[in-house]
Amino acid sequence: MATVGIISPRRLFRKALCALLPGLSVGEGLTICVDSDTFSEAIDSIMKSKPQVLLVDCENASACFSYVKRVREVSPSTRCLLFDQGAGDDFEAQAAQGGAWGLVSERADPESLKKAIQAVLRGEMWFSPTTMARTVHSLVHHKLPESPTADKLTAREAEITALLAKGFQNKEIAQRLLISENTVRRYTETIYRKLRVNSRVEVAVWYYQRSQH
């Protein structure tokens, strides 16, 4: 069972999600391990249960981004998926830069929410291609934390790193390389560990920084 957490100050919205999520056909199912109306109340549960995906209802953008940063500190394996209340493209770009794994409209239907959660569980980000391109472009000139040189990647890992950086999803990479999606996921986890990064945005920045040299 995949584990999911929910943070939303809107009680009816949160309870509707609690009722909806266990019924979504996502792999072996979803179980809710965090259900809170405030981040301060949720933080202990996040540290203990380490949900795979944390759904965050953002009423205040700056506070929301600080939550994402804090989650990455206390539970690096937890991936934040934010609810968009119509804040616009800039908010989406800031969310990607701030370490969120995706953005879902609060008006999305259950099928769209399911696809977003499935993508994040697979290690894929749920942002528009335009936002991903803007984010990488804005970050590529900023130095990332020290990471190993590319010769520490195997030839296959380097090949997959390039495809990740160019925006290919797991299924597309698997088809191009004639391997399974599970194999792609395992390679991606190894690449993240070797590069000391947590998302595809950071992989892309790492890749394009080094391609300039």
Side-chain angles (χ1 to χ4, degrees), residues 148-161:
T149 57
D151 62 6
K152 294 199 176 179
L153 297 174
T154 66
R156 179 63 100 184
E157 289 164 358
E159 187 176 18
I160 292 175
T161 296

Side-chain angles (χ1 to χ4, degrees), residues 78-123:
T78 297
R79 297 163 178 174
C80 291
L81 183 59
L82 312 183
F83 281 104
D84 176 20
Q85 299 182 24
D89 293 342
D90 287 343
F91 177 80
E92 187 176 19
Q94 290 171 21
Q97 292 180 33
W101 278 74
L103 197 66
V104 177
S105 170
E106 63 177 12
R107 296 181 294 278
D109 58 31
E111 184 64 20
S112 296
L113 177 59
K114 182 182 82 171
K115 289 180 179 179
I117 293 172
Q118 286 177 321
V120 172
L121 285 171
R122 290 194 301 264

